[in-house]
Amino acid sequence: MTKSETDGTMIKRTLLLVATLLALTAEGIAQMAEPVHFTTALKPTGNGEAEIVFTARIDAGWHVYSTSLGQDGPIEATFHAERMEGAETIGRLQARGNETKKFDPLFGMELKYFEQAATFVQRIRFTKPRYAISAYLEYGACNDEMCLPPTTVDFKQEGEAPLPAADKVKGDAAASADGAAGDAPAAADTAHAATQQATDSAALAAADADGETAADAGGAAATDDSHASLWYVFLGGLLGGFLALLTPCVWPIIPMTVSFFLKRNKERTRAVREALLYGLSIIVIYVALGLLVTLAFGANALNALSTNAWFNIFFALLLVVFAASFLGAFELTLPSSWSTKIDQKSERTTGLLSIFLMAFTLVLVSFSCTGPIIGFLLVAVSTQGSILSPTLGMLGFSVGLAIPFALFALFPSLLKQAPRSGGWMNTVKVVLAFIELAFALKFLSVADLAYGWRLLDREVFLSLWIALFGLLSAYLFGWLRFPHDEPEHRTNVPQFFLGVASLAFTVYMLPGLWGAPLKAISAFTPPMFTQDFKPYAAAGQAGGATAVPTIVEAQYRDYDEGMAAARRLQKPVVIDFTGFGCVNCRKMEAAVWTDPEVARRLTQDYVLISLYVDDKTPLPQPIEVTVGGRQRTLRTVGDKWSHLQASRFGANTQPFYVLLDSDGNTLAPPRSYDEDVDAYVQWLDSGLQSGLQSRLNSGLDSGLQSRLNSGLDSGLQRQ
């Protein structure tokens, strides 16, 4: 090679390096997003209490998630107290402002978030004359293309507590204390705290004004979403009421009760009126039950229970007990003395009270069939976080239960056309039992994921669901019987079609055992990363380029371990900065990583390292770092990966993808959210080409140096 060719090669490599650095710089500047701007304030509320207020201004296009989203949702807003001297928290973190509620099909749950402005409030109570508080708010934010890692807002303040006895001398207390004690530093701290509080309060007022404007602008959409959610609760309760009608505890009572009212009154008008009042009494009783549940626990307490791992286990076991009752193992009945006494009381009274007591008797007698449905309904609506949800659920249930009484009272001739009681009602109970068992597994899965037990991995969960719905189809086809079934249990036409639907659903789930995404039930199944049984992956490794896994999963979730493997295998690296609660990350994995060409490159040509920035595993010791001139405490593994992304690659949003060689050198500009599969393939190929060129150049340079050294040595020897 001539000197001019060597110089040309060096110039090309230098230009390539400069272009790469410029691209990385531009990309990093674009990716370092700070779309949420928080101010903090401590606002005394009197009686020795106060509120720690976190107020956010949110850039256009971004949203901040609210509180109490549950284990399976995105990053929710939470309050963490590190030091609470002279004070204690009261209740949970509260979200205030124009909250939007919207069902998200990817998570399979209702999400709550704020746009433009948000306020989070933590109530506290002062317990000593002086206080020192060190705490932080953790929140998550996303737009349509990327998400922030779990981000914290620190709150630190200390001073004299505004206890009730000192309320009347708020303005002069600090100065008087300073004059009596002669402690200038303490007075300075108090003055600084007061000034800071006044400044924060002014900022809070301004932000609240902006929030009111935002509420006026977007209130209609939020109201529509909230109303839609409550409508779903009502319709779910209505469906539960209709199902309860078809059970042997309720259906036989309907014609008997309506006939009783018609025979009791010679005037049909009065008989119809009493039958309608009877149905209305049923509604009042069940709605009162919904109100009782809400008043006893509160909407926030119900939501907290629904996201608590141990209560999810309790809910699951409760559903198993209900299902066993429906299958005929035993009957859940209230003490017979209750219904007997109320029935006797109704016979001795007259007027509206007697009708109400008769309705109450029906509620008690039918509990063995309605109890499991009501229990399941109350557990399901507890995740709504609304005080109206349990009440509306019970309203829907009672309306569905009361409709036949009103309908048959108005049109008595319909009684002759109504289906007779029979074995078909046992079939309804068995179908409900299988459904409750399926949902019991969902509750167990939440607890399993929260504690990392890995007992209900995805393939185990799917295997159990396949078994359950396969057995349900066998029962509907008449191949399986339970103790309460008639000896000649046969399949009728409705059961046949239900059996076909159950069998088809069973067949649909089978590919999930091999890694198929099963998007129709992805809201119920555990995440894909919990699946261990991956025959497609084994086939891809053994069968070459034509056999690839359906879903790509990273082999490494630790940066150092992944880079060590890359050096050992002499392969380049794809670093995937992602999160368990990152919606856009799941979109990229479903839309791009499932492509065969992308999957082949990720599994065969690269070492894939996924770093979850919301991993809550605590670090052995917190780490203090400085980012952008601001101090930050790394408390979890997710914080560590988030800091790595920000400090080394100049980005703080997810998804974010980086290509490195085995020595940690960048091979191509990073990428973020973009569902263009062809562009993603070209990006991966560019990294492979850069890595290959780098290795060739490195090998060529070392070869030239070796030959030069060899020639120089031989020349010296000849001399």
Side-chain angles (χ1 to χ4, degrees), residues 10 36 85 118 153 159 181 183 220 242 298 315 330 352 430 452 482 487 525 554 595 651 662 699:
M10 293 298 295
V36 186
E85 294 183 5
V153 182
D183 189 358
F242 286 145
F315 292 152
F330 50 84
L352 293 177
V430 171
F482 288 94
T525 60
D595 179 80
S662 57

Side-chain angles (χ1 to χ4, degrees), residues 241-260:
F242 286 145
L243 291 174
L245 281 174
L246 304 178
T247 59
C249 308
V250 180
W251 186 259
I253 301 177
I254 297 174
M256 294 169 54
T257 306
V258 174
S259 298
F260 169 78

Side-chain angles (χ1 to χ4, degrees), residues 450-532:
Y451 284 91
W453 295 330
R454 296 299 297 270
L455 299 176
L456 271 181
D457 286 352
R458 188 173 183 269
E459 70 273 19
V460 176
F461 184 94
L462 286 175
S463 298
L464 291 171
W465 266 37
I466 289 169
L468 283 175
F469 286 96
L471 289 172
L472 175 58
S473 60
Y475 174 80
L476 292 171
F477 288 140
W479 303 334
L480 181 67
R481 289 191 302 179
F482 288 94
H484 53 34
D485 288 321
E486 298 175 353
E488 297 181 359
H489 174 62
R490 293 186 177 182
T491 302
N492 54 37
V493 174
Q495 285 182 219
F496 171 78
F497 285 110
L498 282 176
V500 169
S502 179
L503 183 60
F505 183 58
T506 303
V507 174
Y508 167 79
M509 290 188 288
L510 287 173
L513 297 175
W514 285 266
L518 303 182
K519 295 182 180 179
I521 59 172
S522 59
F524 300 97
T525 60
M528 186 65 70
F529 69 81
T530 65
Q531 181 147 341
D532 299 320

Side-chain angles (χ1 to χ4, degrees), residues 419-665:
R420 296 180 178 273
S421 302
W424 62 270
M425 290 184 294
N426 284 331
T427 302
V428 173
K429 291 177 65 176
V430 171
V431 171
L432 290 175
F434 276 101
I435 293 175
E436 291 197 339
L437 286 174
F439 276 95
L441 289 172
K442 169 58 180 173
F443 287 114
L444 281 178
S445 174
V446 172
D448 183 66
L449 287 170
Y451 284 91
W453 295 330
R454 296 299 297 270
L455 299 176
L456 271 181
D457 286 352
R458 188 173 183 269
E459 70 273 19
V460 176
F461 184 94
L462 286 175
S463 298
L464 291 171
W465 266 37
I466 289 169
L468 283 175
F469 286 96
L471 289 172
L472 175 58
S473 60
Y475 174 80
L476 292 171
F477 288 140
W479 303 334
L480 181 67
R481 289 191 302 179
F482 288 94
H484 53 34
D485 288 321
E486 298 175 353
E488 297 181 359
H489 174 62
R490 293 186 177 182
T491 302
N492 54 37
V493 174
Q495 285 182 219
F496 171 78
F497 285 110
L498 282 176
V500 169
S502 179
L503 183 60
F505 183 58
T506 303
V507 174
Y508 167 79
M509 290 188 288
L510 287 173
L513 297 175
W514 285 266
L518 303 182
K519 295 182 180 179
I521 59 172
S522 59
F524 300 97
T525 60
M528 186 65 70
F529 69 81
T530 65
Q531 181 147 341
D532 299 320
F533 183 52
K534 304 169 185 175
Y536 277 161
Q541 294 168 3
T546 58
V548 295
T550 304
I551 296 293
V552 176
E553 295 180 50
Q555 292 179 313
Y556 300 96
R557 294 190 184 178
D558 183 89
Y559 177 80
D560 295 327
E561 291 180 4
M563 293 303 296
R567 287 189 291 270
R568 185 174 63 253
L569 299 172
Q570 287 297 300
K571 285 186 176 183
V573 175
V574 175
I575 298 184
D576 165 35
F577 288 99
T578 182
F580 295 115
C582 175
V583 178
N584 299 305
C585 302
R586 303 293 88 77
K587 289 180 180 178
M588 283 291 292
E589 292 162 9
V592 179
W593 283 16
T594 52
D595 179 80
E597 292 300 315
V598 174
R600 178 175 64 81
R601 287 163 173 78
L602 291 177
T603 55
Q604 297 181 11
D605 299 332
Y606 283 94
V607 172
L608 178 60
I609 307 173
S610 288
L611 303 179
Y612 288 81
V613 298
D614 54 0
D615 188 338
K616 297 299 184 182
T617 304
L619 293 172
Q621 291 292 334
I623 304 173
E624 296 289 337
V625 297
T626 302
V627 180
R630 287 185 290 182
Q631 199 76 8
R632 181 186 176 191
T633 302
L634 308 182
R635 301 177 176 89
T636 65
V637 171
D639 291 343
K640 179 181 176 181
W641 304 141
S642 175
H643 175 65
L644 172 67
Q645 180 187 4
S647 61
R648 179 168 179 186
F649 303 106
N652 65 342
T653 59
Q654 294 78 45
F656 189 75
Y657 309 101
V658 181
L659 298 182
L660 305 176
D661 63 18
S662 57
D663 295 324
N665 301 312

